[in-house]
Amino acid sequence: MIYMLTPEREKAKVRTKNKVQTKKYEISDNLRKLGLGKTYHIKTYGCQMNVHDSENIRAILEEMGFKEVDDMEKADLILLNTCAIRENAHNKVFGMIGRIKHMKEERPSLIAGICGCMAQEEGVVEEILNKYKWLDIVFGTHNIHELPSVLEKAMNSRSLEVQVYSCEGDIIEDIPVKRDSKYKAWVNIMYGCDKFCTYCIVPYTRGKQRSRNPKDVIREVEKLKTLGYKEVTLLGQNVNAYGKDLDINYDMCDLLRDVAETGIDRIRFVTSHPWDFTDDMIDVISEYDNVMPYIHLPLQSGSNKILKMMGRRYTKESYLELFHKIKDKVKGASITTDIIVGFPGETEEDFNDTLEVVNECKYDSAFTFIFSPREGTPASKMKDDVSFKEKEQRLYKLNDVINRYAKEANEKYLGKTVKVLLEGKSTKKGSTLAGYTDTMKLVNVKTSEDKIGEIVDVKITNVQSFSMDGEMVE
Ligand code: SAH
Ligand code: SF4
Ligand code: F3S
């Protein structure tokens, strides 16, 4: 019998008082040779957290000797770094697992595995053990640093190796990283989430809230600056709650100020929970030129009844008050949001409350979703009598309004000159490069490729709902 460590939902729910330690990443010399002469391919689903985790996984694999290939068909090792937030994310992954099965039938030496948030789900791992036993490895979000040893066991035994912890462990510093960009970087400031919004699976898949030590965050930003990075995005499910779990008296305002003082050109942060957004935070954002005037402020719903059922701990009124405070104090701020339609019990009237908030806030843009019941969450057990068709219609209606305001917000930029960090080639015909403004607007520009990585002045000449075109101001 092979030893397996599978996730348990009941344990994942628990918030222990265990003190979180900070440890250093280590890899033994023999594991550094395991991947020599072999190739890997990793597919990433989900949020920035997962994107950044994949940057760590790639570096770990390369330290072991593996080389990255773009073509999955040519890889000796395939990893799917998965997301569990909605059912369609699930379905995509199981679709891909089906494709990999065919590849493995043709090439039995292929090693395939899943990691990320789906690997933390009890039901998913059960399904894998029942139907997809031919997979080689399953590891979770809490033990990315153990990938080398998990991989070694799977390669030696040539059988499925499952190693997923139900609960979070320590914070591991100095995990190597192979970043996607040379100019902008993701920087974790905290892990996990303790908010337990009733619809959300993240507190189960990512564990309890754990803030990194400020000095480790600042050290990372300083190093990035030295390496020539122009932009950092501080990452957490709930960045405004940063530091609340630390023994020292130090919060998100302190961190933002200290990161701003490093002098790196651009600082962003996601995601802000409206509940923890303090006036001091707004002051810090407006005080520093290198803290970008861009805030993602998820609304989820504009109905007080639904917000209460979601466990969001703010009301439509307090959200609007915060929204206007930010708009008043942070000059030219762009604010984006997330909205869920069709939460259990959402009536036409509740939905209209959401539209009302959208009409008042006129967001720069928004991510909109149909509620997706997630196994084990309180909302998945709530009575839901609105048809899917009706929910779809609400989503279309909402998207129409959102897109109209997005275009309106962009139109204000016509003729203006803005700063753009040119990140790389544009996908748009007739443009060469693309990048983002301080306010996170995508801009296509015609200019020479040696400008990649620079923050330049661009005059906006044309706008659409989701992007703009501009000309370099020499
Ligand atoms: N920590 C962030 C959200 C992370 S998840 C916050 O609190 O704002 C990203 C978005 O996915 C959420 O804002 C929400 O709009 C959406 N989402 C989460 N769970 C969902 C579910 N079960 N069904 C539909 N959308 C969901
Ligand atoms: Fe999910 Fe709520 Fe935590 Fe965001 S704050 S990750 S929506 S539980
Ligand atoms: Fe998905 Fe996990 Fe992020 S569920 S949205 S990848 S934290």
Side-chain angles (χ1 to χ4, degrees):
M1 175 72 193
I2 301 156
Y3 174 72
M4 294 216 185
L5 197 58
T6 57
E8 290 170 53
R9 194 183 308 124
E10 285 309 311
K11 283 190 187 161
K13 263 188 207 171
V14 176
R15 289 298 179 261
T16 65
K17 293 258 181 294
N18 295 350
K19 208 168 146 30
V20 178
Q21 311 277 342
T22 299
K23 293 193 176 147
K24 285 220 179 299
Y25 173 79
E26 278 170 22
I27 176 169
S28 66
D29 282 343
N30 63 323
L31 291 177
R32 282 177 190 269
K33 301 190 189 93
L34 198 67
L36 282 176
K38 292 193 168 62
T39 57
Y40 76 94
H41 181 86
I42 174 158
K43 275 212 174 326
T44 309
Y45 303 82
C47 66
Q48 295 97 332
M49 243 24 99
N50 255 19
V51 170
H52 186 43
D53 284 350
S54 285
E55 293 183 331
N56 287 132
I57 293 170
R58 286 159 65 203
I60 293 175
L61 291 172
E62 298 199 2
E63 231 182 36
M64 298 173 73
F66 287 95
K67 291 236 164 1
E68 187 166 17
V69 283
D70 291 338
D71 183 358
M72 191 165 97
E73 306 273 343
K74 295 207 172 85
D76 300 310
L77 164 68
I78 298 174
L79 284 180
L80 306 181
N81 190 8
T82 63
C83 169
I85 202 87
R86 284 170 291 273
E87 192 60 31
N88 57 358
H90 254 237
N91 296 344
K92 268 192 221 159
V93 168
F94 278 111
M96 185 55 77
I97 293 179
R99 232 183 100 187
I100 295 173
K101 183 164 195 239
H102 291 297
M103 291 165 56
K104 210 164 151 96
E105 278 161 3
E106 280 167 24
R107 241 176 348 119
S109 65
L110 173 66
I111 296 165
I114 80 157
C115 57
C117 287
M118 273 173 69
Q120 291 293 146
E121 285 187 278
E122 189 176 311
V124 167
V125 174
E126 271 168 16
E127 194 170 344
I128 288 174
L129 290 173
N130 284 331
K131 294 200 212 145
Y132 306 93
K133 263 210 151 120
W134 50 267
L135 276 167
D136 299 276
I137 54 170
V138 180
F139 64 98
T141 58
H142 303 311
N143 60 338
I144 288 173
H145 59 288
E146 290 181 345
L147 170 60
S149 59
V150 180
L151 206 47
E152 183 190 35
K153 282 186 214 153
M155 284 164 86
N156 288 343
S157 69
R158 293 300 322 185
S159 62
L160 175 59
E161 184 68 36
V162 180
Q163 194 155 328
V164 182
Y165 298 98
S166 304
C167 278
E168 70 291 333
D170 300 314
I171 290 182
I172 312 293
E173 287 296 336
D174 296 335
I175 300 186
V177 57
K178 184 186 177 195
R179 297 188 188 270
D180 293 330
S181 162
K182 282 196 247 140
Y183 315 107
K184 58 175 202 175
W186 307 111
V187 174
N188 277 125
I189 62 169
M190 62 209 292
Y191 305 96
C193 179
D194 290 344
K195 288 280 189 280
F196 286 98
C197 302
T198 57
Y199 51 82
C200 185
I201 194 134
V202 173
Y204 309 82
T205 63
R206 293 270 167 177
K208 109 174 152 180
Q209 176 179 316
R210 287 148 292 148
S211 299
R212 276 177 81 192
N213 284 324
K215 64 171 180 13
D216 292 325
V217 175
I218 291 154
R219 189 170 49 111
E220 184 171 347
V221 175
E222 276 168 348
K223 188 172 163 200
L224 287 163
K225 189 182 167 217
T226 319
L227 290 170
Y229 278 81
K230 298 272 161 61
E231 179 176 310
V232 291
T233 302
L234 309 179
L235 285 185
Q237 288 301 345
N238 230 316
V239 291
N240 305 49
Y242 173 84
K244 289 190 171 177
D245 53 302
L246 292 172
D247 289 341
I248 49 175
N249 189 8
Y250 190 96
D251 64 11
M252 183 58 183
C253 283
D254 300 313
L255 183 72
L256 208 50
R257 201 173 277 124
D258 283 345
V259 172
E261 291 289 340
T262 64
I264 192 148
D265 291 286
R266 286 176 155 197
I267 300 150
R268 302 186 190 280
F269 50 91
V270 280
T271 299
S272 294
H273 191 299
W275 185 34
D276 296 307
F277 217 119
T278 60
D279 288 359
D280 289 347
M281 266 289 287
I282 304 176
D283 288 341
V284 177
I285 301 166
S286 58
E287 207 175 296
Y288 285 93
D289 286 346
N290 56 348
V291 178
M292 295 294 99
Y294 161 73
I295 291 143
H296 188 63
L297 195 68
L299 167 69
Q300 312 302 2
S301 169
S303 150
N304 283 339
K305 178 189 100 192
I306 299 294
L307 283 171
K308 195 157 189 202
M309 288 165 72
M310 288 176 160
R312 289 291 287 182
R313 309 182 213 200
Y314 53 82
T315 60
K316 168 189 177 181
E317 292 74 22
S318 64
Y319 180 94
L320 286 171
E321 194 190 327
L322 173 64
F323 180 94
H324 290 301
K325 236 192 268 176
I326 298 173
K327 279 276 182 191
D328 287 347
K329 281 207 169 168
V330 184
K331 294 286 156 278
S334 91
I335 302 185
T336 58
T337 201
D338 290 347
I339 295 170
I340 298 176
V341 300
F343 189 81
E346 184 190 71
T347 62
E348 199 59 37
E349 205 186 327
D350 295 316
F351 175 64
N352 284 334
D353 283 343
T354 300
L355 287 180
E356 222 176 272
V357 177
V358 172
N359 282 322
E360 183 165 336
C361 294
K362 304 183 171 60
Y363 293 103
D364 283 78
S365 83
F367 295 109
T368 55
F369 312 100
I370 292 179
F371 167 74
S372 172
R374 309 312 300 133
E375 209 184 340
T377 60
S380 69
K381 296 177 207 102
M382 291 179 190
K383 188 161 173 277
D384 187 2
D385 46 19
V386 179
S387 71
F388 191 75
K389 194 156 184 273
E390 174 68 36
K391 292 179 181 182
E392 270 184 333
Q393 276 161 0
R394 287 183 193 166
L395 184 73
Y396 296 148
K397 199 165 167 187
L398 175 64
N399 284 345
D400 269 352
V401 183
I402 293 281
N403 293 345
R404 184 154 41 85
Y405 288 126
K407 178 105 193 272
E408 262 179 35
N410 285 359
E411 273 161 1
K412 296 197 183 118
Y413 285 71
L414 259 181
K416 290 209 172 125
T417 298
V418 289
K419 296 229 173 288
V420 176
L421 166 55
L422 295 170
E423 289 177 12
K425 289 195 188 147
S426 166
T427 49
K428 191 175 165 164
K429 245 171 115 184
S431 293
T432 40
L433 301 185
Y436 289 87
T437 63
D438 290 358
T439 51
M440 203 67 172
K441 306 279 182 189
L442 176 61
V443 183
N444 295 297
V445 194
K446 208 182 219 163
T447 186
S448 59
E449 283 188 20
D450 60 357
K451 292 273 190 299
I452 293 180
E454 285 183 29
I455 296 174
V456 297
D457 287 323
V458 176
K459 187 172 175 192
I460 301 301
T461 52
N462 183 31
V463 301
Q464 297 95 34
S465 294
F466 305 108
S467 69
M468 307 179 183
D469 306 310
E471 285 164 3
M472 292 278 285
V473 179
E474 299 299 341

